[in-house]
Amino acid sequence: MSISRRRLLESGAITAFGTLPLPKIADAQEIRDTIFRLDAEGAVAQPYKAGPLESTYVPMRDGVRLALDIVRPIGGAEVKRDTILVMTRYWRGIKGDASNSYAELLVPHGYAVVVGDVRGSGASFGRWPHQRSRAETLDFTDVLDWIVSQPWSTGRVIGYGNSYTANTADWMVERNHPALKGIASRFADYDPYEDLYFPGGVPNAYMGKTWGERVKDLDRNVKPLPDGGRAPGVRPVGSTGEPDLAAALRDHAPVPSVWEGFQQVTFKDSHPSTWGGASMRDWSVQEFADQASRAGTPVQNWAGWFDAGTAQGSIRRFLRQSNPMNVIIGPWSHGGNFACDPLAGGNAGVRPLTPSQQANDVRFADLCFSGQAAHERGKIVHYYTLGEGWKSTRSWPPAATRERWHLASDFRLSPTPGTKGSDPLKVDPALTDVRANRWATNNDGGKVDYGDRRQFDASRLVYTGEPLTHNLEITGHPVIRLNVTSTREDGSFFAYLEAVKPDGTVVYLTEGQLRALHRKVWTDSPFSVLGPQHSYLERDAEPLRPGKATVLELTLHPISARLPAGYRLRVSLAGSDKATFSNVPANGAPPHLRFHRGPGGCHIDLPIVKS
């Protein structure tokens, strides 16, 4: 921590945060005392003003030049500054703008801020075939080397970002560079296959197509604005950078949209012809967890229960990596700007709001720059329980009891299996779900609103329990076991866990999906403690045998929710969601399904935390 910032803290110019209450946690006092805490309120002083933006091209090891913007505080030109590094796919700035949002946010805290266009994007040269190509992630070492060599640099750097820039910050950790003192990674895709583009192996066509075409437009120097207009283009480098920008755009032009590659993916180890031999495993930080742990770089990671699979990724990161770690999972959509707590009767009270989230990141950055974060060897998860509030733990999953509920006759969700039988479902490929869902928000950062789930009852199988006689907390990963017979060799299976309010309104809690081809359980998975896992590798593909009953096990996305007495639980099953996912199988007659109940039949296991 710089002397100036330490004095601000000591003088009280940086205001104290309000510490959140942490109910029902045995080691609550120890967690309150850790530097890896979550602060609900407050703000950090901003005593500095941003100086002018400078831009430059920096050559990489292979001669490809990346466009970087640098903004430092006004005054003290000789003062060395700790640096925040952001590497983006979405342009480091718009032509004519005097600065960028990251500099405006962080320079007032006394940092130098460097924002760069990743290889093959914006004003940078090179080609971008897909997310986090190896050439792109290797560039981060060269950029860090360049920052350290600057006369204004202390030699200390923090990686920072939200969404794509959070993913690039994650890959900075994998580089094990001595200058990197930590990262603040907000709403990242830890494993892009499972967490976003192919959850359960089911193709998320909405995200793949919408996002792929969106970034290809950026490579054509086209960026729509919220008011319906278009930006004047990406910011060139320097006042005479137009010829270089034109040349960089010529580099980008022949590269196919990443959507073309996604359409060739079935397995994690599929190798699309447009990706130069890479598979989605090659750009998954989850696959490089050991390398990311090696330097012990501190990590602060944010995620949302209702943001694609970011919460699942955060929990896997917590389990898989040994880095000092502060994980925060709230009831947020993508980016943390909007909360969604269907059990709280309103979302205004969900804290921290965006400014306080950013203040937590500034505090964490200071802990990293001072070296304190690196000496905090533990890990912690702060998580929000719907209908109740924030809690914290040093272990995941929290201590819970698996409670089994059976999909029983008369469409009951029952503690006992009942008699044998089955319920038919003819898959209609035209059926859909809400657009404002956990998957769409990952593209636009918008609100999530699942509405009253009764609107889909006519097209699904719905099993509802009796009113709860006591409050019930579900925290962790629900697991559903489907005993099903199909007329087709493949298919998509969607399972939704929902809550019925006393007035009959049905609210969404979480979901899981599984493509039948990927049904083989991966018994050696490092994440088996969370529930049955699947490898999604081609070698493990197991098509269904039409007419033969088969067991499918789905581990749903994690959730924490406290249902009051009088509420009821329910499970709904579907075979399509055309608004978001590609239909499986893509051709031929849609599957006719029969879900078997009774002993050995369908059931859901819920992780119940006792009061």
Side-chain angles (χ1 to χ4, degrees):
M1 184 183 302
S2 66
I3 293 174
S4 59
R5 290 191 62 76
R6 187 176 293 113
R7 286 174 178 168
L8 285 167
L9 283 166
E10 292 170 351
S11 69
I14 298 180
T15 58
F17 292 84
T19 302
L20 291 159
L22 305 172
K24 301 181 183 178
I25 299 295
D27 57 347
Q29 187 59 51
E30 185 270 336
I31 289 174
R32 286 192 185 97
D33 292 341
T34 181
I35 62 172
F36 288 166
R37 64 178 186 268
L38 174 63
D39 297 319
E41 306 287 351
V44 181
Q46 302 180 39
Y48 301 94
K49 292 185 177 180
L53 179 143
E54 308 168 63
S55 58
T56 188
Y57 275 116
V58 175
M60 301 293 101
R61 66 212 164 274
D62 57 359
V64 170
R65 292 185 294 157
L66 300 193
L68 303 181
D69 285 348
I70 307 98
V71 182
R72 293 178 287 152
I74 290 176
E78 304 304 317
V79 175
K80 292 183 179 293
R81 303 285 183 185
D82 292 330
T83 302
I84 306 291
L85 173 61
V86 180
M87 296 299 296
T88 184
R89 179 67 178 85
Y90 303 132
W91 297 357
R92 73 195 196 289
I94 293 175
K95 183 179 180 180
D97 285 359
S99 188
N100 59 66
S101 60
Y102 289 104
E104 292 168 355
L105 171 67
L106 297 165
V107 172
H109 299 292
Y111 310 125
V113 174
V114 175
V115 182
D117 292 324
V118 299
R119 174 181 293 245
S121 76
S124 289
F125 288 81
R127 296 190 171 194
W128 186 94
H130 56 79
Q131 292 90 321
R132 279 86 66 193
S133 69
R134 195 52 176 159
E136 177 185 334
T137 59
L138 290 175
D139 288 342
F140 302 152
T141 294
D142 298 335
V143 174
L144 288 164
D145 285 343
W146 180 84
I147 292 173
V148 170
S149 71
Q150 300 309 298
W152 44 260
S153 171
T154 63
R156 296 186 293 264
V157 182
I158 297 293
Y160 186 76
N162 179 74
S163 192
Y164 196 101
T165 51
N167 295 324
T168 56
D170 282 341
W171 278 98
M172 293 176 199
V173 176
E174 184 267 344
R175 302 310 305 135
N176 288 285
H177 196 287
L180 190 71
K181 303 305 179 183
I183 65 164
S185 169
R186 297 175 54 81
F187 304 90
D189 307 314
Y190 192 59
D191 182 82
Y193 184 99
E194 293 185 64
D195 296 346
L196 184 55
Y197 294 103
F198 295 85
V202 183
N204 181 351
Y206 173 80
M207 185 66 185
K209 185 175 190 294
T210 304
W211 190 87
E213 293 178 349
R214 171 185 166 199
V215 296
K216 189 58 191 173
D217 278 345
L218 293 177
D219 294 343
R220 299 184 182 103
N221 212 20
V222 174
K223 185 173 189 175
L225 296 176
D227 62 5
R230 283 188 178 183
V234 65
R235 178 167 45 235
V237 171
S239 59
T240 60
E242 291 288 355
D244 279 330
L245 175 58
L249 293 173
R250 286 195 294 272
D251 270 5
H252 309 166
V255 181
S257 166
V258 69
W259 170 233
E260 292 188 27
F262 283 135
Q263 293 175 85
Q264 301 174 45
V265 171
T266 299
F267 306 99
K268 271 193 177 183
D269 53 352
S270 295
H271 297 273
S273 60
T274 57
W275 290 2
S279 74
M280 292 187 73
R281 298 182 76 186
D282 295 309
W283 40 283
S284 166
V285 175
Q286 179 176 289
E287 298 284 339
F288 292 80
D290 290 339
Q291 294 92 318
S293 297
R294 192 174 299 144
T297 306
V299 174
Q300 179 152 289
N301 175 238
W302 300 75
W305 294 132
F306 303 117
D307 175 23
T310 60
Q312 170 177 274
S314 289
I315 290 168
R316 288 183 172 190
R317 178 198 305 263
F318 180 82
L319 293 175
R320 190 70 179 83
Q321 291 183 215
S322 60
N323 309 62
M325 193 175 298
N326 194 33
V327 172
I328 305 156
I329 308 175
W332 296 305
S333 59
H334 194 53
N337 292 319
F338 301 107
C340 176
D341 185 349
L343 303 181
N347 299 325
V350 177
R351 300 289 191 273
L353 300 178
T354 303
S356 290
Q357 294 173 32
Q358 294 165 347
N360 274 273
D361 286 336
V362 170
R363 178 181 177 275
F364 179 78
D366 281 341
L367 292 170
C368 292
F369 285 132
S370 70
Q372 289 177 266
H375 288 97
E376 186 81 359
R377 302 309 302 176
K379 297 184 287 186
I380 192 166
V381 179
H382 307 282
Y383 63 98
Y384 183 93
T385 300
L386 302 181
E388 185 171 6
W390 286 98
K391 302 176 183 178
S392 300
T393 181
R394 286 197 179 275
S395 62
W396 196 277
T401 302
R402 287 281 174 180
E403 189 172 291
R404 179 162 295 177
W405 294 64
H406 299 266
L407 280 58
S409 60
D410 299 320
F411 298 103
R412 293 176 299 115
L413 193 61
S414 170
T416 58
T419 58
K420 281 186 174 291
S422 64
D423 297 314
L425 177 66
K426 180 180 179 181
V427 175
D428 183 346
L431 295 180
T432 186
D433 206 304
V434 298
R435 169 62 74 206
N437 61 27
R438 68 190 298 149
W439 309 106
T441 186
N442 202 273
N443 179 60
D444 61 14
K447 293 181 180 180
V448 169
D449 184 2
Y450 278 92
D452 187 338
R453 305 298 289 163
R454 288 179 292 186
Q455 64 184 300
F456 302 110
D457 285 2
S459 60
R460 297 178 177 177
L461 297 182
V462 178
Y463 300 84
T464 307
E466 294 296 320
L468 298 173
T469 58
H470 57 277
N471 297 337
L472 187 73
E473 181 186 328
I474 301 169
T475 296
H477 295 68
V479 174
I480 192 163
R481 179 184 188 271
L482 300 177
N483 189 331
V484 63
T485 300
S486 175
T487 57
R488 296 297 303 272
E489 70 286 348
D490 201 1
S492 296
F493 293 82
F494 299 87
Y496 303 89
L497 178 64
E498 299 160 341
V500 185
K501 294 183 176 182
D503 66 2
T505 303
V506 179
V507 298
Y508 171 97
L509 297 178
T510 189
E511 69 184 64
Q513 47 278 119
L514 181 65
R515 182 171 178 173
L517 185 69
H518 301 295
R519 63 189 171 89
K520 182 178 180 179
V521 174
W522 180 20
T523 56
D524 294 330
S525 169
F527 308 115
S528 293
V529 66
L530 306 176
Q533 305 295 313
H534 309 274
S535 76
Y536 305 103
L537 301 179
E538 187 170 9
R539 72 183 184 208
D540 291 329
E542 286 191 357
L544 296 174
R545 290 178 59 187
K548 179 178 173 59
T550 304
V551 170
L552 307 178
E553 294 181 285
L554 290 70
T555 298
L556 276 59
H557 289 275
I559 191 63
S560 182
R562 181 179 180 272
L563 304 183
Y567 276 55
R568 291 181 290 165
L569 285 166
R570 80 173 208 167
V571 169
S572 62
L573 304 177
S576 65
D577 175 6
K578 187 179 179 181
T580 300
F581 297 95
S582 296
N583 284 311
V584 178
N587 302 301
H592 288 222
L593 308 174
R594 187 165 289 278
F595 293 89
H596 303 284
R597 43 184 168 73
C602 302
H603 63 251
I604 187 169
D605 290 334
L606 299 175
I608 304 300
V609 175
K610 301 296 184 181
S611 301

